[in-house]
Amino acid sequence: MSSGVISNGSRSSVRKSFPPPRSNFVTRGLATRATSNTLNTGAKIPALGFGTFQDPDSQEETVSLALRKGMRLIDPARVYNVEEQVGKGIKKSGIPREDIFVGTKLWCNDYHPEDVECAVDNSLRDLDTPYVELLMMHYPCTFKRGADRFPRDAEGRMIRGETTFVDTWKAMEDVIKTGKVKAIGVSNFSKGEIETMLEKTGTVPAVHQMEVHPYLQQKEFNKWLKEQGIHVVQFSPLGNMNDFYRQTGWSKGTAHMKRVIDQPILKEIVVKYGKSTAQVVLAWGINSGRSVIPKSVVEQNLEVDFELQPKDMAQVSVLDAKARFNDPSLDYEWRLNSDLEGIDGTVKGRTH
């Protein structure tokens, strides 16, 4: 940690027995921060959170550990089948509920307006909490009402619901009035779909959770969202590091490209900071004004909120391959992200 320079108030000296600092090291120090961003509701959302996609059996312990180690943003979803375990993890952590930001997601078979509040109640019951800080629509597509989360016809094709995401959004607006939800947002929406919601309801989403990583930077879309006052939460912030994108039925060829964290450019950058490539990738997201929700190695991820120099931010920007890994469009019978980058190469195949 020491560069040979001791500075403490008025005392400052150089110990000659120490070698001089190397020019390619950051001498400002790498203090880990606790950055938060302000939503358009006035509420604060942490820049670093914990994603709970996959591994339901491990969530109670990992959520508890994440909270005890200092994370305060937890990201479950109804379709992940983790809400009950997440709720237990929150209780087990001993961290006061008011110090935690929980954002969960409504699934596509609960989009009929009459089902929305009941679905919220079910999530609150399993999370064992009287409210959540954020409720999001998981996708813009609607599925047939009922217990089956992936309703299919005799030919295996997804059955659409008899409602629209605009109707769902209006029902979510009503749930805010009950106090069960503090803010509402969306996930996996296109620019046009958000514009439709704004035009028909006038209510601006507090958050858009979407795929963002060095391989899919969506620069123009991110700029537009910021202009609208919509905060971005990055899922899959490490890109194709998750094997899910290589194994799912609709896996795209791009998912098999070199992993983001194996990029030589990143390996050059980490020398300056004494961090791993994954930590630098997550820091890039935070330094861009977004929140990131990695789902692995809690201890390492706690040390990703540090300042990257502008030239290193620019270096990461050249990795933009417009490679979108999360694209179940053909399975969901809905052209997702229709006006955004990275929609080429979509593959037909089942999610479940």
Side-chain angles (χ1 to χ4, degrees):
M1 292 277 299
S2 176
S3 64
V5 178
I6 303 174
S7 179
N8 183 10
S10 61
R11 191 183 82 195
S12 181
S13 63
V14 177
R15 296 174 59 179
K16 295 181 180 179
S17 60
F18 282 16
R22 289 167 54 182
S23 61
N24 64 337
F25 272 69
V26 176
T27 57
R28 296 169 301 168
L30 285 178
T32 300
R33 307 174 299 189
T35 302
S36 64
N37 295 285
T38 304
L39 301 180
N40 57 28
T41 62
K44 299 285 188 179
I45 182 172
L48 175 61
F50 185 70
T52 63
F53 174 56
Q54 300 176 302
D55 308 321
D57 292 341
S58 71
Q59 295 305 328
E60 179 179 344
E61 187 56 42
T62 54
V63 166
S64 174
L65 177 62
L67 290 170
R68 285 185 280 114
K69 291 289 187 178
M71 287 187 174
R72 292 295 181 266
L73 168 61
I74 306 295
D75 180 72
R78 193 63 182 165
V79 77
Y80 297 166
N81 294 315
V82 298
E83 289 177 323
E84 186 173 352
Q85 296 90 328
V86 167
K88 291 179 179 178
I90 290 173
K91 287 292 194 298
K92 188 174 184 178
S93 74
I95 303 300
R97 176 64 184 86
E98 59 269 22
D99 293 343
I100 305 170
F101 190 107
V102 180
T104 196
K105 294 182 274 298
L106 189 71
W107 186 240
C108 308
N109 66 321
D110 282 324
Y111 279 10
H112 192 283
E114 294 178 7
D115 298 335
V116 170
E117 186 171 1
C118 180
V120 171
D121 289 340
N122 290 336
S123 288
L124 296 180
R125 178 199 65 216
D126 288 352
L127 288 165
D128 194 14
T129 181
Y131 64 89
V132 289
E133 281 71 16
L134 176 66
L135 176 71
M136 293 168 280
M137 268 190 278
H138 208 138
Y139 283 95
C141 44
T142 69
F143 296 165
K144 179 184 176 182
R145 299 174 71 187
D148 191 351
R149 291 177 179 164
F150 295 88
R152 300 179 185 274
D153 62 20
E155 298 178 351
R157 298 181 61 176
M158 207 72 73
I159 304 174
R160 286 194 181 184
E162 297 178 355
T163 190
T164 69
F165 60 78
V166 172
D167 294 331
T168 308
W169 187 246
K170 291 177 180 178
M172 291 167 67
E173 291 177 311
D174 290 336
V175 177
I176 290 182
K177 300 171 186 176
T178 68
K180 299 174 183 178
V181 171
K182 304 299 184 184
I184 54 178
V186 296
S187 181
N188 298 296
F189 271 54
S190 70
K191 179 182 177 182
E193 288 160 347
I194 294 176
E195 287 177 324
T196 296
M197 283 175 44
L198 295 178
E199 177 186 347
K200 294 185 178 297
T201 70
T203 300
V204 181
V207 165
H208 184 205
Q209 187 176 127
M210 65 182 192
E211 182 181 351
V212 183
H213 43 74
Y215 280 165
L216 183 67
Q217 299 184 22
Q218 303 194 78
K219 297 171 185 175
E220 289 303 314
F221 190 36
N222 269 294
K223 179 182 177 183
W224 181 82
L225 289 165
K226 186 175 183 178
E227 291 170 348
Q228 307 306 311
I230 302 172
H231 180 66
V232 172
V233 175
Q234 297 181 202
F235 72 74
S236 296
L238 297 174
N240 58 343
M241 189 171 177
N242 191 337
D243 285 340
F244 171 80
Y245 291 130
R246 289 181 283 276
Q247 298 170 354
T248 185
W250 40 261
S251 175
K252 298 169 68 171
T254 54
H256 300 271
M257 65 193 292
K258 182 195 293 287
R259 295 188 307 171
V260 172
I261 63 171
D262 293 329
Q263 281 291 338
I265 287 177
L266 295 175
K267 293 184 177 181
E268 292 175 8
I269 294 174
V270 301
V271 174
K272 298 181 180 182
Y273 298 92
K275 299 286 187 177
S276 70
T277 50
Q279 288 173 321
V280 167
V281 170
L282 295 174
W284 168 80
I286 293 174
N287 279 258
S288 298
R290 300 183 287 265
S291 294
V292 297
I293 47 172
K295 59 175 290 291
S296 60
V297 197
V298 171
E299 291 82 356
Q300 290 186 17
N301 290 341
L302 284 166
E303 300 174 0
V304 304
D305 190 356
F306 59 91
E307 184 179 359
L308 284 175
Q309 293 181 350
K311 63 181 179 180
D312 295 318
M313 293 289 290
Q315 281 283 81
V316 176
S317 72
V318 306
L319 295 175
D320 190 6
K322 298 176 175 52
R324 184 181 298 277
F325 305 127
N326 185 68
D327 194 352
S329 296
L330 296 180
D331 187 28
Y332 291 2
E333 301 285 334
W334 188 283
R335 177 60 269 180
L336 298 166
N337 308 296
S338 59
D339 53 14
L340 302 178
E341 298 171 333
I343 64 173
D344 53 305
T346 308
V347 175
K348 178 72 174 178
R350 285 196 181 192
T351 306
H352 296 278

